Amino acid sequence: MLAKHVREARLWSRLSDLAAIGATPKGGVCRLALTPEDGAARVMLAGWAKARGFSVSEDAIGNLYVRREGSDPSLPPVMTGSHLDTQPTGGRFDGVYGVLAGFEVLEALDDAGVQTRRAVEVVGWMNEEGARFQPGCMGSGVFCRGHAARRYARRRR
């Protein structure tokens, strides 16, 4: 059974590790998109993923993908995730919980020796909160609506 391979302590430790990046005096987190703090969180997640043998990639808008391969590469992946960026006075778990809970599923599948037909991917959307760059939901919007990434790149100049 997969549930016995979910490690609450591992998930809590990772949540705490990421909450330290951009920690605020009142116990929250300020990790705005494309800041050094956001970069550090992305590097940390990528490091955990690579240590497990998962692939890590980034698309043109900066969405971060962690992938556990399935047995049939012709099938589209099953995806889950959220975002690593926060509001300036964000909570410790907003967004990041969705990313790390998905990552915990990848690890539990691996630990249980489960082979899925489809790849399973966890995504960290870029600039989901929109606190630094407008519009919000930039990364997921590009992914879901098929917008060209260059549309937003022009706005940042």
Side-chain angles (χ1 to χ4, degrees):
M1 172 171 258
L2 185 61
K4 72 179 183 176
H5 294 281
V6 172
R7 303 278 185 248
E8 180 182 339
R10 177 172 61 195
L11 177 57
W12 183 254
S13 175
R14 294 219 165 111
L15 285 164
S16 296
D17 289 346
L18 283 176
I21 300 173
T24 63
K26 292 185 178 182
V29 175
C30 180
R31 194 171 44 241
L32 303 180
L34 300 175
T35 59
E37 293 80 14
D38 182 44
R42 295 163 64 82
V43 165
M44 185 175 282
L45 176 61
W48 293 329
K50 289 175 183 174
R52 287 300 292 239
F54 303 142
S55 64
V56 178
S57 62
E58 190 175 280
D59 63 17
I61 197 71
N63 294 320
L64 183 67
Y65 301 92
V66 174
R67 182 179 181 106
R68 181 180 185 269
E69 292 299 336
S71 63
D72 187 345
S74 71
L75 296 173
V78 173
M79 295 182 74
T80 189
S82 194
H83 54 94
L84 298 173
D85 66 311
T86 69
Q87 291 289 326
T89 56
R92 293 170 48 96
F93 308 119
D94 176 37
V96 72
Y97 182 81
V99 174
L100 291 181
F103 188 72
E104 181 62 32
V105 169
L106 297 185
E107 292 189 296
L109 287 166
D110 232 31
D111 292 346
V114 172
Q115 177 64 55
T116 56
R117 276 190 66 213
R118 294 174 184 268
V120 182
E121 264 184 3
V122 175
V123 62
W125 301 120
M126 174 53 68
N127 192 49
E128 197 68 4
E129 288 289 358
R132 186 164 182 223
F133 304 108
Q134 295 300 313
C137 300
M138 188 180 289
S140 60
V142 167
F143 180 87
C144 292
R145 292 187 294 272
H147 293 312
R150 66 182 175 274
R151 174 179 172 197
Y152 294 115
R154 281 191 299 237
R155 287 185 176 184
R156 282 195 240 160
R157 291 183 188 160

